[in-house]
């Protein structure tokens, strides 16, 4: 049989289609591998810069020596006690916010469904500010209060958005309203507090890594060690859910249960990151859309979103500490807000309202 006849036969068309599908899958794998490699390389480069740059510059050899226990006490103190905890906290916060944003935007099918848009971060901020200004608390107690505030907002939003089922637009609109309420609570608490207390609260609310220390890093790392495997476990079900509730139900899935589990994981990730570093603005909002644009294959892009979050937070902190003019040092959330604000304007001006 000639090649032309083979292509025109049913078997030939099937073989051509199968070959095209295999080629498309290979291209997707190649692109995904390339994107992951670039993001990992960028994250490592920024991390290396964060360890060597500062008021006391170090060479890469000095950094490596300090990490493996070299005898230079000053270099070891700077790297192990000051720069490494801050870097690791930035990495963990980036992973948490990146995954949280990807989960919310996917399950709610709305690019505006980010923790810092729909009130989760504001609820955590209200809880933390109340602990700081009303209770005079600090440290772990503030983190727990932030976790509690964000979790309560998440439960409230789910209850308000539920009308025989939960839809994304009700959740987002309810969240925007709750965000304003939480902002009003924070504003009232700030006006009733002493100036010194208000300064501490405002610095935390800007999103800062200045409080980084090994105990805080260990707590956030432990939280992510629990939450990230659960995200991986629910990712396949979320993929099926995005086919639509009817199709997902036909495949044996319980859509509302999966949706509730995904939202709970997103709330937990956002609250854990906010409790550790404050509401670092726009990382969760920007990470997933950037990752999905890099892949351009319609996937959830969870790993890529986490890496984009790492690059954003580590890069923004590097800029906030060392690269602003006039030796100016600002909280990392100020820089991420300066990045995310224009992105939100662009998103609205181009009319992009659909999310994977």
């Amino acid at each position: 049989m000639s090649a032309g006849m083979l292509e025109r036969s049913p078997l030939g068309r099937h073989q051509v289609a199968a070959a095209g599908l295999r080629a498309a899958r290979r291209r997707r794998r190649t692109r995904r591998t390339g994107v992951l490699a670039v993001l990992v390389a960028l994250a490592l480069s920024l991390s290396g810069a964060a360890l060597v740059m500062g008021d006391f510059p170090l060479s890469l050899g000095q950094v490596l020596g300090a990490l493996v226990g070299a005898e230079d006490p000053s270099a070891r103190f700077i790297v192990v006690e000051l720069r490494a905890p801050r870097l690791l906290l930035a990495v963990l916060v980036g992973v948490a916010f990146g995954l949280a944003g990807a989960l919310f935007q996917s399950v709610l099918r709305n690019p505006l469904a980010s923790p810092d848009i729909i009130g989760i971060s504001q609820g955590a901020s209200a809880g933390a500010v109340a602990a700081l200004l009303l209770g005079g608390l600090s440290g772990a107690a503030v983190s727990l209060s932030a976790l509690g505030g964000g979790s309560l907002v998440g439960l409230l939003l789910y209850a308000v958005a539920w009308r025989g089922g939960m839809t994304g637009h009700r959740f987002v609109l309810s969240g925007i309203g709750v965000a304003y309420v939480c902002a009003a609570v924070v504003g009232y608490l700030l006006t009733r507090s002493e100036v010194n207390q208000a300064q501490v609260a405002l610095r935390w609310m800007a999103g800062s890594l200045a409080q980084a220390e090994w105990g805080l890093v260990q707590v956030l790392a432990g939280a992510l060690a629990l939450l990230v495997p659960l995200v991986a476990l629910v990712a396949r079900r979320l993929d099926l859910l995005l086919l639509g509730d009817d199709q997902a139900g036909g495949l044996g899935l319980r859509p509302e249960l999966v949706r509730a589990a995904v939202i709970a994981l997103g709330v937990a990730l956002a609250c854990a990151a906010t409790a550790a570093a404050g509401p670092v603005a726009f990382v969760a909002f920007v990470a997933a859309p950037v990752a999905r644009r890099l892949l351009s294959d319609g996937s959830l892009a969870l790993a890529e979103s986490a890496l984009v979050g790492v690059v954003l937070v580590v890069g923004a902190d590097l800029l906030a500490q060392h690269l602003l003019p006039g030796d100016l040092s600002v909280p990392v959330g100020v820089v991420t807000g300066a990045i995310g604000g224009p992105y939100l304007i662009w998103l609205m001006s181009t009319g992009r309202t659909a999310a994977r």
Side-chain angles (χ1 to χ4, degrees), residues 74-164:
S74 59
R76 181 170 175 78
F77 175 78
I78 290 170
V79 173
V80 176
E81 299 300 329
L82 300 179
R83 295 181 186 173
R86 186 175 184 123
L87 172 61
L88 289 176
L89 184 62
V91 169
L92 295 172
V93 167
V95 169
F97 276 130
L99 286 176
L103 291 176
F104 274 116
Q105 290 167 353
S106 294
V107 75
L108 299 178
R109 299 171 183 258
N110 193 319
L112 296 179
S114 170
D116 42 5
I117 301 293
I118 61 174
I120 304 298
S121 295
Q122 288 83 351
S125 296
V129 170
L132 285 167
L133 301 183
L134 296 181
L137 304 176
S138 62
V142 175
S143 297
L144 289 175
S145 298
L147 187 63
S151 300
L152 285 176
V153 167
L155 290 172
L156 175 63
L157 291 180
Y158 199 89
V160 171
W162 180 270
R163 293 291 183 277

Side-chain angles (χ1 to χ4, degrees), residues 4-93:
M5 294 178 62
L6 180 61
E7 289 180 1
R8 288 192 295 270
S9 68
L11 178 60
R13 288 195 296 271
H14 176 74
Q15 291 174 338
V16 170
L21 182 61
R22 287 194 295 270
R25 287 175 175 171
R26 283 195 298 271
R27 287 194 298 270
R28 288 179 62 180
R29 285 196 298 268
T30 301
R31 186 180 182 94
R32 180 179 290 272
T33 301
V35 168
L36 284 171
V38 169
L39 289 174
V40 168
L42 188 55
L44 289 175
S45 300
L46 291 170
S47 298
L51 291 175
V52 301
M53 295 178 65
D55 294 334
F56 190 86
L58 299 173
S59 68
L60 189 58
Q62 287 176 300
V63 170
L64 293 176
L67 292 175
V68 298
E71 295 183 359
D72 185 348
S74 59
R76 181 170 175 78
F77 175 78
I78 290 170
V79 173
V80 176
E81 299 300 329
L82 300 179
R83 295 181 186 173
R86 186 175 184 123
L87 172 61
L88 289 176
L89 184 62
V91 169
L92 295 172
V93 167

Side-chain angles (χ1 to χ4, degrees), residues 129 133-134 183-195 197-199 201-202 205:
V129 170
L133 301 183
L134 296 181
V185 170
V186 170
Y188 173 77
L189 292 175
L190 289 173
T191 61
R192 304 293 294 178
S193 64
E194 298 292 334
V195 174
Q197 291 178 314
Q199 286 179 337
L202 285 171
M205 288 173 58

Side-chain angles (χ1 to χ4, degrees), residues 193-288:
S193 64
E194 298 292 334
V195 174
N196 291 337
Q197 291 178 314
Q199 286 179 337
V200 173
L202 285 171
R203 185 170 184 84
W204 186 91
M205 288 173 58
S208 175
L209 302 173
Q211 73 281 8
E213 47 91 19
W214 284 112
L216 185 59
V217 170
Q218 290 170 356
V219 170
L220 184 55
L224 293 188
L226 174 64
L227 294 172
V228 171
L230 294 177
V231 171
L233 187 65
V234 82
R236 174 59 181 164
R237 293 171 175 81
L238 178 56
D239 251 331
L240 295 177
L241 181 64
L242 296 180
L243 297 174
D245 286 6
D246 293 338
Q247 292 89 333
L251 294 171
L253 213 64
R254 297 175 61 184
E256 288 304 329
L257 182 61
V258 174
R259 193 172 286 115
V262 172
I263 290 174
L265 286 172
V267 169
L269 286 164
C271 288
T274 304
V280 182
F282 285 117
V283 176
F285 179 67
V286 171

